[in-house]
Amino acid sequence: MTSEEVKLNVEKALAEIRPFLESDGGNISLIAIENDRLVKVRLEGACVDCTVNQMTLKSGVEMTIKKYVPQIESVINIQR
């Protein structure tokens, strides 16, 4: 998978998970993809202060991204 395909598929994954985040007053933005293995995102809105945002990040966001791009090893949240 090329870097462009990785980015496109990560965006598709985020589009899939975004409605769930928005329903709780949150959102997510793609910040960067490093070496086609590490995805950096920014949780926004209600997700910033949510007590379960790390669970959402790992069980929701990371799992969905890996479904689209199995080579991704980790997804991390970048604070403002």
Side-chain angles (χ1 to χ4, degrees):
M1 198 177 288
T2 67
S3 293
E4 188 58 37
E5 290 170 323
V6 168
K7 183 175 188 238
L8 208 69
N9 284 328
V10 167
E11 290 284 5
K12 286 180 189 175
L14 294 179
E16 181 179 313
I17 196 114
R18 191 168 280 119
F20 298 101
L21 300 175
E22 289 173 341
S23 71
D24 288 329
N27 207 339
I28 191 166
S29 294
L30 177 62
I31 303 301
I33 302 171
E34 294 183 358
N35 302 319
D36 293 339
R37 301 252 180 252
L38 173 68
V39 177
K40 293 181 178 181
V41 297
R42 177 174 293 128
L43 292 171
E44 300 171 343
C47 292
V48 173
D49 297 320
C50 179
T51 57
V52 294
N53 69 9
Q54 284 305 307
M55 188 172 72
T56 298
L57 188 68
K58 292 297 173 185
S59 299
V61 177
E62 187 171 285
M63 188 175 72
T64 303
I65 288 174
K66 286 181 175 181
K67 180 174 76 174
Y68 282 84
V69 190
Q71 72 197 48
I72 296 298
E73 294 172 358
S74 186
V75 177
I76 60 171
N77 182 39
I78 302 298
Q79 300 294 325
R80 290 190 171 155

